Amino acid sequence: MKINYFKKPNLKIEYKTVHKSKGLDADYVIVLNLNNKLNGFPNKMENDPILDFVNNKKDEDIDYAEERRLFYVALTRTKNNVYVFHKSINYSQFIDELKDENKVDKLNFKFSNEELMEINNLLGKKFEVIETDNVCPNCGVGKVNLILNNEKGTSYFRCSNFCGWDGGPHHNESRWYDSRQIAYVKYAKVCDECGGMLVVKENGIDGSNFLGCNFHKERDCCNSIDLPSDFDLS
């Protein structure tokens, strides 16, 4: 698969699986998905037991033996440098092993909001990104952003550092998906009980407003606080 980079259209970028890359080389190689998850690298999905009859028994004492062989193939395809991409937390054990055994330069890479909006425009303005003053409770580095999906009419909180934190929806009720999202998001705070977000909610009895956890149903979190005195409904 060929990839076109809109800022440098003459740059030749090809996407290949590691299996398809065997025997090939390139000036630079980027290895993706070095994350600690089921379908990360190493892939942690268990093989069908029938494969035990054909697999090398010597591999049994080596964690992810076949994935290690694939990782070696990926790392040795380059003529110059290889770049491995992973989340800032919960990354692959291969990353720790690389850092222990080799000279590795760490690069912090993240999109600015301007770059996100530029990508968004290329995708047809499906998303809007609204910054908050909250620091991500997961990585402690990124800022909490509200992502508006204009195509689906949904909104959710995510980390600007792409650390994998799921801040949940801004509001479950579709009637809240309007200009008030932007006006009210400045009052949102990180929930110190479940790691979700405290968002503006309405009391169904008297119609008053308060900050309540957006994971009230999913995590049974009943954390709530009063709104500041400067709260404005307009």
Side-chain angles (χ1 to χ4, degrees):
M1 179 191 298
K2 293 185 178 180
I3 299 173
N4 293 320
Y5 179 37
F6 65 96
K7 286 187 176 180
K8 294 185 178 180
N10 294 326
L11 191 63
K12 287 183 63 178
I13 305 176
E14 289 190 58
Y15 173 84
K16 295 180 182 293
T17 65
V18 180
H19 287 95
K20 290 284 188 181
S21 300
K22 289 181 179 179
L24 303 178
D25 57 26
D27 291 332
Y28 298 91
V29 169
I30 299 172
V31 185
L32 305 175
N33 201 27
L34 266 290
N35 299 312
N36 181 23
K37 59 180 182 178
L38 183 64
N39 61 344
F41 203 166
N43 188 299
K44 297 184 176 182
M45 296 180 68
E46 295 185 2
N47 290 328
D48 192 304
I50 198 170
L51 292 176
D52 292 339
F53 293 104
V54 296
N55 284 340
N56 189 340
K57 296 298 182 182
K58 294 180 180 179
D59 288 347
E60 291 180 355
D61 296 330
I62 304 174
D63 289 339
Y64 311 111
E66 180 59 27
E67 292 290 288
R68 289 179 184 278
R69 283 190 281 268
L70 284 175
F71 191 43
Y72 175 80
V73 170
L75 294 180
T76 55
R77 296 308 91 197
T78 181
K79 298 176 182 177
N80 298 302
N81 295 328
V82 59
Y83 299 89
V84 292
F85 276 60
H86 61 84
K87 293 179 179 178
S88 57
I89 61 172
N90 202 30
Y91 46 78
S92 166
Q93 69 185 65
F94 288 174
I95 297 298
D96 282 328
E97 293 171 13
L98 275 178
K99 290 190 293 186
D100 291 341
E101 301 294 334
N102 301 275
K103 181 180 182 300
V104 177
D105 294 324
K106 182 179 179 181
L107 304 174
N108 288 319
F109 175 80
K110 61 181 180 179
F111 291 114
S112 67
N113 282 329
E114 290 75 17
E115 288 171 323
L116 284 174
M117 293 308 297
E118 190 172 357
I119 295 171
N120 182 35
N121 289 334
L122 290 172
L123 294 174
K125 297 185 178 180
K126 293 181 180 180
F127 302 94
E128 291 181 53
V129 180
I130 302 172
E131 282 187 311
T132 77
D133 293 328
N134 297 282
V135 176
C136 173
N138 190 44
C139 68
V141 176
K143 286 292 189 74
V144 173
N145 284 343
L146 177 66
I147 311 298
L148 302 178
N149 187 326
N150 295 319
E151 190 174 67
K152 296 183 178 180
T154 57
S155 60
Y156 43 89
F157 291 100
R158 294 292 186 269
C159 175
S160 64
N161 199 38
F162 302 99
C163 72
W165 172 70
D166 178 6
H170 189 204
H171 282 286
N172 292 317
E173 302 91 344
S174 59
R175 66 187 178 88
W176 284 86
Y177 189 84
D178 55 27
S179 59
R180 287 179 294 175
Q181 295 260 20
I182 300 174
Y184 288 175
V185 74
K186 66 180 180 181
Y187 297 104
K189 298 182 180 296
V190 173
C191 177
D192 57 9
E193 291 191 8
C194 77
M197 293 294 293
L198 299 177
V199 297
V200 176
K201 292 191 172 186
E202 186 177 282
N203 189 316
I205 299 175
D206 60 13
S208 61
N209 296 100
F210 64 98
L211 285 176
C213 184
N214 60 348
F215 280 118
H216 173 69
K217 294 180 180 179
E218 292 85 348
R219 299 176 182 172
D220 197 27
C221 182
C222 298
N223 190 19
S224 65
I225 61 175
D226 293 331
L227 281 159
S229 57
D230 64 348
F231 177 69
D232 186 3
L233 278 172
S234 58

